[in-house]
Amino acid sequence: MQKIKRAYHTTFTVLKIYLQIDAKLVCTIFFLQLVQALNSIINSYLFALLIGAIVDALIKKEIIVSQLMPLVLILVGYQGLIQIVDIVQGYLENNLRLRDIPALRILASNHLIKLGISQMENPELTNRSTRFNEMSGSLYDYLSLFFSLLATVIATVVSLLIFVKLMPVFSLMILMVFIIKFVINQKFMKDLWLLRRDSTEDNRRAYGVFWYLTDPATLKEILIMGGKSMITAKLMNFVNSFNANHIDIRRRWMIFEMLYVLVDAFLYAYGLFSLISKSITQMLSISTVTFYGRSLFTLVSQLNNLSYRISRVVEQSLRIEDAIELFEKFVPGKDGTKLLNPNEVPPTIEFKDVSFAYPNSKKLVLENLNIKINNGERIAIVGENGASKTTLVKLLTRFYQPVSG
């Protein structure tokens, strides 16, 4: 549940960012995606009307092609419309992709300016900014995945509502199976996530070793020292162990996915038999039976896609979360407000009992410092590397904030 909440928060943060870029374009893309998600239901309805009209004409032995042409033209026209929707959606998405990277960088830059110069010396802010720049190219992919999920949810709800009145038991069964599938999928995704999390440090070291083994400058030193065999053996021990655990989780997940196929087949068969029974007892028209028969397969497919897309969104949100913390985790700092006019008499500079520790550190590098530099006075501040000479300047210009003084 915690992962679902985090995914919800991450998703709407990304959505809010893109609405700032172009709200009208983003909403249009989602609408077109929703139209495509509802396509199978609408197409089934139109096709069922056509089949019903053909069967009625056969029963009456009065097949008049001109009477069927309007339905044929509507069906063909609708298919053409869906293809146009797909083309327009691709065009709009391409436009947004061309604009989003520059726009995202500008948004990030404006946010950093809002945080203030003093915050820009915060190493954690620098890490988050770097992470955001690395992940900015993936943000729209994540938004598109969320739109696909939301459109699938709406289409699935519509499909369920279609079946609830005619086949309530079947609707309840298929909903329960979906919930069970979702819980099991989340369990396996959690196992994979825990495996990656617990081996993060080892993975980082492993990739570092791979770099050493493929960089000529470091590889020659390893060869001279005769350490390649030992390093390679330790590296492969970790790689093989990680892969074995990963494959074991995926294998168990695959077995459950095979069971899902059998369950889906049973549900589809049960739904068809129920539909046939209803058609006999309630004298359903051929167009109604055709519509429900096609919609039955669509509903099973939609629920499978829904489970997969929820899992994907939750998984991807954990990767995106770290990047968007740039916009949430930090509060604006207090910058200096005094502007120096070149024509003014220079001010006196004075530090009174100033103490300072670097961000994310409690160790004081300056403690109760007192310095006074009078107007027109020339002094030299000397010291070895790390003696805090630059730190004094950064304190003076408000890049850093003192602990006290």
Side-chain angles (χ1 to χ4, degrees):
M1 184 57 68
Q2 185 65 29
K3 289 171 66 177
I4 298 292
K5 289 181 180 178
R6 289 165 63 186
Y8 172 86
H9 176 74
T10 300
T11 299
F12 280 91
T13 302
V14 172
L15 179 60
K16 183 170 68 174
I17 290 172
Y18 271 88
L19 288 176
Q20 291 180 56
I21 295 174
D22 193 327
K24 187 182 293 185
L25 182 57
V26 170
C27 292
T28 302
I29 289 173
F30 170 69
F31 174 75
L32 296 178
Q33 199 152 2
L34 177 60
V35 170
Q36 294 200 68
L38 294 170
N39 170 44
S40 56
I41 300 173
I42 299 173
N43 184 64
S44 296
Y45 178 74
L46 295 175
F47 183 78
L49 289 179
L50 179 60
I51 294 298
I54 293 173
V55 172
D56 289 343
L58 288 172
I59 292 173
K60 295 176 182 178
K61 297 182 180 180
E62 297 178 356
I63 300 178
I64 303 175
V65 176
S66 60
Q67 293 179 351
L68 298 177
M69 282 305 295
L71 284 175
V72 173
L73 291 175
I74 290 173
L75 185 60
V76 172
Y78 175 73
Q79 290 301 320
L81 177 63
I82 289 298
Q83 292 182 24
I84 292 173
V85 165
D86 183 55
I87 293 170
V88 172
Q89 180 183 337
Y91 169 77
L92 295 179
E93 285 184 333
N94 185 59
N95 283 355
L96 186 56
R97 285 181 182 275
L98 287 173
R99 295 169 53 191
D100 71 343
I101 297 298
L104 287 170
R105 299 294 173 85
I106 291 172
L107 279 175
S109 176
N110 291 338
H111 184 70
L112 290 172
I113 293 170
K114 182 180 177 181
L115 291 177
I117 293 174
S118 60
Q119 277 282 32
M120 295 182 192
E121 289 291 332
N122 187 338
E124 195 169 346
L125 177 64
T126 302
N127 290 338
R128 290 294 184 274
S129 179
T130 301
R131 184 67 174 152
F132 178 80
N133 288 331
E134 292 173 348
M135 295 296 296
S136 57
S138 303
L139 288 184
Y140 181 74
D141 292 333
Y142 179 76
L143 183 67
S144 180
L145 181 63
F146 167 67
F147 280 168
S148 177
L149 168 63
L150 190 57
T152 303
V153 168
I154 295 172
T156 304
V157 170
V158 172
S159 295
L160 278 172
L161 291 175
I162 290 171
F163 280 92
V164 163
K165 186 176 180 180
L166 183 67
M167 299 189 299
V169 176
F170 170 75
S171 301
L172 182 61
M173 286 176 60
I174 202 167
L175 190 59
M176 289 177 62
V177 169
F178 165 74
I179 294 172
I180 293 172
K181 284 181 181 179
F182 176 73
V183 171
I184 293 174
N185 285 344
Q186 287 300 305
K187 189 266 180 189
F188 284 113
M189 287 195 64
K190 181 180 179 181
D191 290 344
L192 288 173
W193 179 76
L194 288 174
L195 175 63
R196 294 191 190 101
R197 186 199 67 180
D198 295 341
S199 58
T200 297
E201 185 62 24
D202 290 331
N203 261 315
R204 185 185 64 78
R205 291 174 180 170
Y207 279 105
V209 172
F210 277 126
W211 187 84
Y212 291 143
L213 291 175
T214 54
D215 179 56
T218 54
L219 180 58
K220 67 181 180 182
E221 296 180 7
I222 293 173
L223 293 174
I224 291 172
M225 298 298 294
K228 183 178 181 301
S229 298
M230 180 192 69
I231 292 175
T232 303
K234 288 188 175 182
L235 174 63
M236 294 311 299
N237 282 339
F238 164 73
V239 171
N240 292 334
S241 174
F242 178 85
N243 288 347
N245 290 327
H246 194 280
I247 290 171
D248 178 63
I249 295 171
R250 291 297 309 183
R251 180 172 57 247
R252 288 185 282 115
W253 197 354
M254 180 187 67
I255 292 172
F256 274 96
E257 287 178 327
M258 291 179 178
L259 293 176
Y260 297 163
V261 174
L262 296 177
V263 173
D264 288 345
F266 169 77
L267 284 174
Y268 189 62
Y270 176 80
L272 281 177
F273 281 118
S274 298
L275 182 59
I276 293 171
S277 175
K278 294 283 185 182
S279 65
I280 294 173
T281 57
Q282 299 183 19
M283 300 295 290
L284 301 178
S285 66
I286 189 65
S287 60
T288 302
V289 174
T290 302
F291 172 63
Y292 275 98
R294 287 172 64 95
S295 298
L296 181 65
F297 178 79
T298 298
L299 178 59
V300 174
S301 177
Q302 283 174 336
L303 286 170
N304 285 333
N305 288 336
L306 184 59
S307 178
Y308 169 74
R309 288 192 170 109
I310 291 175
S311 299
R312 282 282 310 281
V313 166
V314 172
E315 181 183 19
Q316 291 296 321
S317 70
L318 297 176
R319 300 179 181 179
I320 299 293
E321 182 182 39
D322 189 44
I324 63 173
E325 281 187 347
L326 171 67
F327 295 91
E328 301 175 334
K329 192 171 182 178
F330 306 95
V331 296
K334 184 179 179 182
D335 288 340
T337 57
K338 184 174 180 60
L339 297 177
L340 299 180
N341 190 321
N343 298 321
E344 288 183 359
V345 177
T348 296
I349 298 172
E350 187 172 6
F351 288 74
K352 290 183 179 180
D353 297 322
V354 171
S355 296
F356 172 74
Y358 288 111
N360 301 327
S361 174
K362 294 181 180 180
K363 182 181 178 181
L364 294 176
V365 294
L366 295 175
E367 187 172 3
N368 298 324
L369 175 68
N370 290 279
I371 298 176
K372 185 175 183 179
I373 306 173
N374 294 314
N375 170 26
E377 187 177 2
R378 295 185 179 183
I379 68 168
I381 300 176
V382 295
E384 52 188 36
N385 289 341
S388 302
K389 301 184 297 298
T390 305
T391 302
L392 283 176
V393 178
K394 289 187 175 182
L395 283 167
L396 180 63
T397 54
R398 292 289 185 178
F399 280 18
Y400 286 148
Q401 296 293 328
V403 174
S404 62

